[in-house]
Amino acid sequence: MLTPEHRRLSADQTEALELVFQRSEYRFAQSKAQSGAFLDAIIWKDGEIAGTAEVKPRDFTIEELEGKFGGEWLLSRNKIDSLKMASLLFHCPGYGICYMKRSGLALVWKLTDEAGCVYFDIKYDRRITQDTVFGGTKMDTVALIPVEHAKRYYK
């Protein structure tokens, strides 16, 4: 069942992808809302897959990310592993997109290259994190991705 929270998350992901690709020759297709897909989007150009993406809308501003979160975006290691596998399968880069709706800003990192190798040194840590969009917590290994490596797209 598609809940209101799933609809909102899917709409926010669409908004983030549109912001990033609105002035580009690249197009995107999203995974189905609530599908449990390993990735959120496939990016293509001229009929060829050009990348994959993990898109995380966040309810904070860039100032909060830089202050409260030490300028690091937390992304589950499982998501990094999914991007690495997709890069190997499709021979394309994998991107991480953190969309801060209140700032009207999408941060985009090239996380993996065409061979599935992580594009820059990423620190990992074990932390208690939010389990799902519905709440709850879990212990997870997360990548600490520095804001300084991100390309910024503003509304």
Side-chain angles (χ1 to χ4, degrees), residues 31-148:
S31 59
K32 289 173 146 181
Q34 193 191 357
S35 67
F38 288 99
L39 296 169
D40 294 322
I42 291 180
I43 303 156
W44 80 88
K45 179 182 174 188
D46 299 328
E48 294 182 355
I49 295 174
T52 59
E54 180 61 31
V55 183
K56 296 293 182 200
R58 293 292 183 247
D59 190 28
F60 48 75
T61 64
I62 184 64
E63 293 80 18
E64 290 171 312
L65 179 66
E66 292 172 336
K68 180 179 176 187
F69 299 102
E72 294 176 323
W73 178 43
L74 273 57
L75 183 63
S76 171
R77 183 179 195 129
N78 292 339
K79 297 299 183 179
I80 299 286
D81 291 343
S82 293
L83 288 168
K84 287 166 64 174
M85 180 59 71
S87 291
L88 278 171
L89 291 171
F90 295 116
H91 199 69
C92 66
Y95 298 90
I97 301 172
C98 179
Y99 180 48
M100 288 164 283
K101 191 170 184 167
R102 289 194 289 148
S103 291
L105 170 65
L107 298 174
V108 180
W109 292 264
K110 181 177 179 181
L111 296 175
T112 62
D113 65 14
E114 293 79 2
C117 298
V118 176
Y119 198 66
F120 56 88
D121 287 333
I122 296 176
K123 296 184 298 185
Y124 292 95
D125 192 18
R126 295 251 328 139
R127 296 193 180 180
I128 294 174
T129 64
Q130 183 175 320
D131 189 21
T132 69
V133 294
F134 302 110
T137 59
K138 67 178 179 180
M139 181 61 81
D140 197 9
T141 300
V142 294
L144 307 171
I145 303 170
V147 170
E148 65 204 36

